Amino acid sequence: MAGEAEAPPPEETLSFWKREQARLKALVVVGDTEAWQRDAALSGLRRVGGVDVSFVKGDGVRACASLVVLSYPELEVVYEDCCMVSLTAPYVSGFLAFREVPFLVDAVRRLREKEPRLVPQVLLVDGNGVLHHRGFGVACHLGVLTDLPCVGVAKKLLQVDGLENDAQHKEKIRLLQAGGDSFPLVGGSGTVLGMALKSHDRSSRPLYISVGHKISLEAAVRLTRGCCRFRIPEPVRQADIRSRDYIRRTLGAPEPPTPAQERSQKAQGPKVCPKGGSKEPEGEDRPPEAHS
């Protein structure tokens, strides 16, 4: 039942997840690999994908995994795949990908089998890439497993490597004047982990962009900005809209939780931490909306 405490995964499972993260992290490519990424106008980019996992309201297990592909620069949906899934792996802070990514990989596989001409040239993910506790968030994980360029687009700042949503950070946000304005997210180690981007003229809250795989941070920011009709880039927005609609149509369910409710649900659902460790205050790749 959603909301009930769930036993932590065995130590061997956590150890395997850590080893697997480290193995896959070694395969991440940070930098442009395609000609369109190096073009200021993104010339040559024709298809952009977005993914999302939406939960059934009040249920921390049943969810809808969705993949959409949009034309670029028109941002019209040309392909969608929605599938009900059961997320049986527990939520462990720092390891969200092991809970959700397998279903997204399956969606990409089905697309390659059914409509290979529509395979996206890049994926946008509601979550983080290298901006992560161990430098390997859900956008990295999905990118490596699908071998597609991937960008992490988070709505909240994941506070790692000394990054904090403090007064100084809020002042930098205040200074973002127009859509496209941004500032780097420099960790305490001196590493640039991502960019805070004002994605739309009318948006007061930035997005947090980070590299997932096979793209540079500069290209990832330009791409995200180019995909925004509103605050949230259209591929991610459409994946979210369509997954929620699919739940309603499939289950005759009431209105699925809003993004804010869902992130709280993900955090409160089967959430456990490695034995002997402390719960990280900002959650995983998608920090709960309740945390700021």
Side-chain angles (χ1 to χ4, degrees):
M1 177 180 290
E4 289 185 353
E6 183 171 309
E11 284 295 325
E12 56 266 28
T13 298
L14 290 173
S15 295
F16 170 74
W17 285 355
K18 290 176 182 177
R19 292 195 304 271
E20 189 68 358
Q21 270 192 344
R23 182 183 72 83
L24 295 175
K25 180 181 177 181
L27 302 177
V28 170
V29 175
V30 177
D32 295 327
T33 58
E34 308 296 328
W36 63 262
Q37 297 167 341
R38 293 183 284 269
D39 185 272
L42 302 176
S43 299
L45 178 61
R46 296 290 180 263
R47 299 174 308 281
V48 181
V51 295
D52 182 71
V53 177
S54 291
F55 281 78
V56 175
K57 189 172 184 178
D59 191 328
V61 175
R62 288 189 301 167
C64 177
S66 63
L67 163 69
V68 298
V69 180
L70 278 63
S71 61
Y72 189 89
E74 300 84 4
L75 299 178
E76 300 296 335
V77 176
V78 297
Y79 175 90
E80 71 175 277
D81 178 310
C82 295
C83 182
M84 295 301 299
V85 299
S86 295
L87 281 70
T88 55
Y91 174 89
V92 181
S93 184
F95 298 94
L96 175 68
F98 292 96
R99 180 165 162 82
E100 297 185 358
V101 162
F103 304 106
L104 302 176
V105 171
D106 285 345
V108 173
R109 174 187 53 78
R110 288 192 295 270
L111 170 56
R112 283 176 163 145
E113 291 173 353
K114 294 191 295 184
E115 294 282 358
R117 64 186 179 84
L118 295 179
V119 172
Q121 293 162 275
V122 61
L123 287 170
L124 298 185
V125 181
D126 179 10
N128 290 297
V130 298
L131 176 55
H132 179 265
H133 309 287
R134 285 171 296 281
F136 191 75
V138 65
C140 297
H141 206 124
L142 181 61
V144 168
L145 292 185
T146 59
D147 196 32
L148 290 172
C150 212
V151 176
V153 182
K155 303 179 190 73
K156 291 282 186 176
L157 176 65
L158 185 61
Q159 301 186 62
V160 297
D161 192 18
L163 292 175
E164 293 185 34
N165 188 20
D166 54 14
Q168 182 180 21
H169 182 78
K170 290 173 181 175
E171 176 62 15
K172 289 181 180 179
I173 292 174
R174 191 186 67 80
L175 294 174
L176 299 175
Q177 297 296 309
D181 287 354
S182 63
F183 63 84
L185 301 169
V186 183
S189 64
T191 303
V192 177
L193 298 172
M195 295 284 284
L197 169 69
K198 184 179 178 72
S199 59
H200 193 277
D201 287 338
R202 294 189 297 274
S203 176
S204 60
R205 294 173 295 161
L207 297 175
Y208 296 95
I209 314 302
S210 57
V211 171
H213 185 50
K214 298 179 76 171
I215 194 169
S216 68
L217 180 57
E218 189 270 339
V221 170
R222 276 190 292 116
L223 169 66
T224 303
R225 171 66 175 136
C227 288
C228 287
R229 288 175 171 166
F230 306 98
R231 178 184 177 232
I232 306 302
E234 201 65 11
V236 173
R237 197 176 80 91
Q238 287 297 328
D240 175 74
I241 289 171
R242 289 162 191 264
S243 63
R244 294 172 190 282
D245 183 63
Y246 188 82
I247 289 173
R248 287 192 294 271
R249 289 186 287 109
T250 301
L251 302 180
E255 185 76 15
T258 65
Q261 292 169 334
E262 182 167 289
R263 274 184 248 310
S264 177
Q265 179 176 322
K266 286 186 179 185
Q268 296 168 7
K271 178 192 289 188
V272 292
C273 293
K275 188 178 295 183
S278 60
K279 188 167 72 174
E280 293 148 336
E282 286 303 319
E284 223 283 308
D285 301 314
R286 280 172 271 175
E289 290 287 341
H291 297 147
S292 59

